[in-house]
Amino acid sequence: MLLGDVVVAFETARREVEKGAARSLADHLAHLIVHGVLHLLGHDHEDDVEAEAMERLESALLARLGVPDPYHERRSA
């Protein structure tokens, strides 16, 4: 079943990492792809409840891939 495409602007992703994201480019790309696939599956972050649920799912999926939680700092603040 084709759900759609996930397109990542590599140069933009690399700039985001260079601007101070405390993660590797590979981890950032993995996060962007997981985020995009979740959108294709119907998840969204239009309100706080949806955003929290989507972030928790992203974090769990990324953990299975060995990628650190991109939301860790914000949650622990």
Side-chain angles (χ1 to χ4, degrees):
M1 173 192 301
L2 179 63
L3 298 175
D5 298 317
V6 174
V7 178
V8 176
F10 181 79
E11 293 301 322
T12 300
R14 184 169 58 190
R15 272 194 310 274
E16 290 171 346
V17 169
E18 290 170 355
K19 284 184 179 179
R23 59 185 132 171
S24 70
L25 178 58
D27 288 352
H28 188 47
L29 290 170
H31 180 206
L32 293 172
I33 292 166
V34 166
H35 186 90
V37 169
L38 288 176
H39 276 299
L40 291 176
L41 293 171
H43 296 274
D44 214 333
H45 44 82
E46 293 294 320
D47 60 44
D48 291 342
V49 172
E50 288 179 343
E52 180 66 25
M54 188 170 174
E55 288 175 8
R56 290 199 180 281
L57 185 52
E58 284 175 54
S59 297
L61 292 169
L62 289 168
R64 292 186 67 170
L65 297 173
V67 176
D69 184 354
Y71 303 107
H72 174 74
E73 286 183 24
R74 190 175 71 212
R75 285 192 189 122
S76 60

